Amino acid sequence: MKYERMPIEIEAPEEYGYDKIKYNLSESSITDQTIESLGLQIPNLKLLYNEHRGETELRKLIADDADVSADDVLITSGAAGALFIITTSQLGSTHAGERNHLVVVRPNYATNLETPRATGCEISYIDVTFESGFQPNIDDIEDAIKPNTRLVSVTCPHNPTGSTLSREALDRLVAVTKKKGVLLLVDETYRDIAFSQKLPSAASLGDHVLSVSSLSKSFGIPGIRIGWLITTNRALQEVFLAAKEQICISGSVIDEWIATQVLSERKKILAHTTQEMNVRLQMVESWIESEDLLEWVKPTGGVVCFPRIKKEPKGGLPAFYDRLLKKYATYVGPGHWFELPDNFFRLGYGWPTREELEGGMKAISAALRDD
């Protein structure tokens, strides 16, 4: 493994300093929750080694929503932990020393690109474009599959664009990968916030499909580091469990207790969150429609969007981002975080307050025009 720090982490707002940012529109989750805001009081838990697969009740809550069994669910250290387990167990070199091959949609959440690179596997990128509505071409994905392909990787809803696969496209992906004899990984971290019909958990559609998700984004509790990996393939699940046991043995008793309480109220929490995110999305849509220097593909899920600057700002793009941050104390995620030009930027509308979102959008408009 060859590790390199990712720009999205080097330049993360927590690394820059939250105290220097007034309008933080770079985050990719809803507002961070607290023990008090969740209405919880942590009991006198016994701090033992927990069940290696994850606490049974927690796995059952996840399984019931995904239409699988509790034994199909492995609790991990966030979605990042699940992705690490999948990548390192499936994409390393074969016993014969040959390289496995990955087909992955780009742009993407950085870990879905950088961790496979760290393993040294062969990678083919399926680049989605603004003009295509950030929708991957399933024929291109099928054509990219080779004899040594082990895994096809997509995100849905998509990070950083908020676009969502249609049910027809998802079913085609499941069928294509089944026919080709390769695994399909669907990063479903934003699945719980959908502005149209909610897709089924992909892992319920075939035993070669892997679903990954977490409580970090749609529930706003990244600090408890709870994610999960779902597969109905028992042999694969044993491999993933072995990887988890060698990395951390089991999860945190406290984290899993909190997660269980939160998911016990899933429907109530998500109903409120989705209603609020609809309001936020309408705020962004009104701004984009009135801002002649920006264009976008309207998201259909999640809490992020990926506007494109239509013409170079005064002084160029580096100067724009510099004054946006230093003059207006406003932070967004520039395109290079996602291996795209900086005329794109990720805007997170779920994390700030409504007032902060409004202030940040006004700041972006001003910075686009300033010298």
Side-chain angles (χ1 to χ4, degrees):
M1 297 284 287
K2 182 181 179 182
Y3 293 108
E4 293 185 12
R5 293 194 72 199
M6 300 173 286
I8 194 172
E9 303 301 348
I10 295 170
E11 301 170 20
E14 62 268 24
E15 293 290 296
Y16 177 75
Y18 286 119
D19 59 319
K20 302 175 187 176
I21 304 170
K22 184 176 182 181
Y23 303 121
N24 185 1
L25 275 57
S26 71
E27 303 288 353
S28 58
S29 67
I30 69 163
T31 305
D32 293 331
Q33 301 301 299
T34 65
I35 296 296
E36 184 177 337
S37 72
L38 293 170
L40 299 179
Q41 185 172 354
I42 298 176
N44 185 28
L45 298 167
K46 183 174 288 188
L47 303 180
L48 40 62
Y49 283 114
N50 205 4
E51 296 175 63
H52 292 192
R53 287 178 170 80
E55 201 275 328
T56 298
E57 185 181 355
L58 174 57
R59 289 188 290 115
K60 187 175 187 309
L61 287 167
I62 294 166
D64 287 347
D65 176 71
D67 195 25
V68 296
S69 77
D71 287 342
D72 298 325
V73 178
L74 179 69
I75 304 302
T76 60
S77 179
L83 295 170
F84 184 86
I85 286 172
I86 293 168
T87 299
T88 54
S89 67
Q90 301 303 307
L91 292 176
S93 297
T94 66
H95 292 300
E98 298 173 352
R99 290 201 300 167
N100 282 313
H101 176 239
L102 165 71
V103 178
V104 61
V105 167
R106 184 174 60 178
N108 209 318
Y109 173 56
T111 297
N112 281 320
L113 303 176
E114 199 58 48
T115 307
R117 288 185 187 129
T119 69
C121 73
E122 183 184 352
I123 305 175
S124 293
Y125 300 101
I126 304 299
D127 291 320
V128 295
T129 66
F130 184 93
E131 289 71 24
S132 69
F134 297 118
Q135 292 295 316
N137 186 310
I138 309 302
D139 290 335
D140 289 346
I141 292 176
E142 182 171 12
D143 291 344
I145 295 174
K146 305 195 295 188
N148 64 329
T149 302
R150 180 63 181 159
L151 183 70
V152 171
S153 173
V154 301
T155 62
C156 181
H158 187 246
N159 183 2
T161 69
S163 63
T164 307
L165 292 170
S166 67
R167 177 61 194 269
E168 179 186 9
L170 178 60
D171 286 342
R172 272 202 67 202
L173 267 177
V174 171
V176 163
T177 48
K178 181 72 171 179
K179 180 179 72 175
K180 295 283 188 175
V182 301
L183 299 175
L184 172 62
L185 164 62
V186 183
D187 184 336
E188 301 175 342
T189 304
Y190 293 102
R191 173 176 166 266
D192 285 308
I193 299 179
F195 304 125
S196 55
Q197 184 178 12
K198 184 177 177 180
L199 290 171
S201 181
S204 68
L205 304 178
D207 66 1
H208 67 296
V209 186
L210 317 174
S211 290
V212 165
S213 192
S214 79
L215 293 179
S216 299
K217 307 298 185 183
S218 300
F219 292 86
I221 45 177
I224 68 168
R225 308 310 304 136
I226 290 291
W228 52 88
L229 194 174
I230 305 175
T231 176
T232 59
N233 185 313
R234 296 300 170 87
L236 272 177
Q237 193 64 277
E238 281 296 299
V239 171
F240 298 148
L241 175 59
K244 177 185 176 180
E245 289 173 331
Q246 292 174 44
I247 294 168
C248 60
I249 304 176
S250 64
S252 160
V253 172
I254 297 172
D255 289 357
E256 292 189 14
W257 181 86
I258 294 172
T260 301
Q261 310 316 304
V262 169
L263 287 180
S264 295
E265 300 291 329
R266 174 196 285 267
K267 289 184 178 179
K268 177 182 176 182
I269 291 171
L270 289 177
H272 175 269
T273 299
T274 302
Q275 182 180 34
E276 177 63 21
M277 291 309 108
N278 265 300
V279 173
R280 306 295 188 86
L281 183 59
Q282 290 169 16
M283 290 173 63
V284 180
E285 183 174 21
S286 295
W287 170 61
I288 294 277
E289 287 179 348
S290 66
E291 176 51 81
D292 58 7
L293 296 181
L294 294 175
E295 56 189 345
W296 76 335
V297 174
K298 185 179 177 180
T300 50
V303 296
V304 296
C305 59
F306 206 48
R308 181 167 69 175
I309 300 170
K310 293 165 72 172
K311 69 176 186 178
E312 188 168 287
K314 292 181 179 180
L317 289 165
F320 159 71
Y321 286 105
D322 186 66
R323 64 177 170 264
L324 181 64
L325 184 56
K326 293 180 180 176
K327 182 176 180 179
Y328 294 98
T330 299
Y331 213 44
V332 296
H336 70 260
W337 283 10
F338 308 98
E339 302 183 5
L340 283 180
D342 282 344
N343 62 328
F344 287 97
F345 61 88
R346 187 181 70 185
L347 185 153
Y349 51 84
W351 191 86
T353 64
R354 292 188 191 182
E355 292 73 22
E356 289 167 345
L357 175 59
E358 191 68 42
M361 292 187 297
K362 288 179 179 177
I364 293 169
S365 290
L368 283 169
R369 291 167 172 81
D370 277 359
D371 291 322

